[in-house]
Amino acid sequence: MFKVGGVRRDIDDDDIPWIRKSLDQLKPALDMFKGAVMDDPVIHARTKGVGVLTKEKAIEYCVVGPTARPSGLAIDVRKDDPYFAYDWVDWDIVVLEEGDVFAKAAVRILEMYESVKIIEQCLTKMKSGIVDLKVKELPPGEGIGRAEAPRGEVYHYCRSDGSNFPARYKVRAPSYTNIFSNEVAVIGETVADAALILAAVDPCYCCTERVVVINHDTGSEDVLFENDLVALSHKKTEKIRKEMGV
């Protein structure tokens, strides 16, 4: 697992044979799963041509990850802005053109094969060395970072005042952009298909919907919706500007 300064655990040489064996066992299961989904005429009838998100609308709504790639957009942070070892291994961006529910499922299935390829190459090319720099303090400053999460690009912003507590931390999860594309993908579809079309985006509601603030002293709960969060953001920004004298 990632942490500031590296990762929490190393992969020992003794672990590699077990990982390779697990991958070998996974491949037939992937083939079976791929056939069960992609060759099933019932699934084809239920998902093909349903909930189409065109390439133009995908660009307009700024969708990312496996919501964008089924609509013909070859975007992936691991290729566009390589980090870690992604530019040291050979793998392909899976892109389809149909933009429907079936394409969204197919992209995710085919990407599992690419993940296996990446892991196998990493096991071969991985070198020994330090895995954790043991960072104890963060200097004052700010930084941004982005990575390709399972649902697409996740974006982090952090500002430090030199203490061990972030002065400001902001995360933009991929669902924050992807989920809004549903409002165009469902147009002209049946009510029965609405849930299926939304599920194809695989939204994470806890990343996008609301915040519940619990008062530990009283046990009361305050639910904060969009307008509340915007107001808090403005208030926090104004406080930071005053502290910085801008």
Side-chain angles (χ1 to χ4, degrees), residues 128-133:
S128 60
I130 299 173
V131 299
D132 184 7
L133 296 179

Side-chain angles (χ1 to χ4, degrees), residues 3 9 13 41 63 74 86 104 113 128 163 169 172 179 203 212:
K3 62 183 292 291
R9 300 179 182 87
D13 291 339
V63 297
Y86 284 114
K104 289 182 174 68
Y113 288 91
S128 60
S163 70
Y169 199 88
R172 194 210 66 182
I179 196 171
V212 177

Side-chain angles (χ1 to χ4, degrees), residues 17-224:
W18 175 83
I19 297 173
R20 291 191 184 279
K21 181 180 178 181
S22 298
L23 292 175
D24 289 338
Q25 294 173 342
L26 179 62
K27 291 174 185 177
L30 288 181
D31 291 337
M32 181 182 67
F33 184 67
K34 175 186 174 184
V37 175
M38 299 186 67
D39 298 333
D40 189 324
V42 176
I43 293 179
H44 286 201
R46 188 72 180 86
T47 60
K48 282 194 171 183
V50 176
V52 174
L53 181 67
T54 65
K55 185 175 183 178
E56 292 72 24
K57 287 298 182 182
I59 295 173
E60 180 181 338
Y61 278 78
C62 301
V63 297
V64 294
T67 299
R69 292 189 283 272
S71 295
L73 295 179
I75 58 173
D76 191 310
V77 180
R78 297 172 296 176
K79 286 283 191 183
D80 300 332
D81 187 14
Y83 54 96
F84 298 150
Y86 284 114
D87 56 345
W88 298 352
V89 293
D90 179 43
W91 60 282
D92 298 314
I93 300 178
V94 179
V95 181
L96 298 177
E97 302 292 335
E98 295 79 6
D100 54 13
V101 171
F102 183 82
K104 289 182 174 68
V107 162
R108 287 176 169 85
I109 292 171
L110 296 175
E111 285 183 342
M112 290 191 287
Y113 288 91
E114 298 304 312
S115 296
V116 171
K117 285 169 52 178
I118 291 171
I119 295 171
E120 288 179 329
Q121 292 175 79
C122 286
L123 292 175
T124 300
K125 298 182 178 183
M126 185 167 51
K127 300 178 181 179
S128 60
I130 299 173
V131 299
D132 184 7
L133 296 179
K134 304 295 183 183
V135 176
K136 295 182 179 180
E137 294 184 355
L138 297 177
E142 61 182 353
I144 59 173
R146 60 179 184 155
E148 188 72 19
R151 294 179 175 91
E153 181 191 48
V154 59
Y155 183 93
H156 290 252
Y157 165 80
C158 182
R159 188 168 72 86
S160 169
D161 58 7
S163 70
N164 286 333
F165 299 93
R168 175 73 169 160
Y169 199 88
K170 171 70 175 177
V171 180
R172 194 210 66 182
S175 290
Y176 189 80
T177 57
N178 288 342
I179 196 171
F180 294 106
S181 67
N182 190 63
E183 69 179 15
V184 292
V186 297
I187 293 177
E189 304 290 354
T190 65
V191 173
D193 284 337
L196 180 66
I197 296 167
L198 179 59
V201 177
D202 187 28
C204 173
Y205 291 111
C206 64
C207 294
T208 60
E209 191 173 35
R210 64 182 186 182
V211 172
V212 177
V213 179
I214 300 176
N215 188 316
H216 290 285
D217 295 328
T218 64
S220 63
E221 296 184 2
D222 292 322
V223 180
L224 306 182

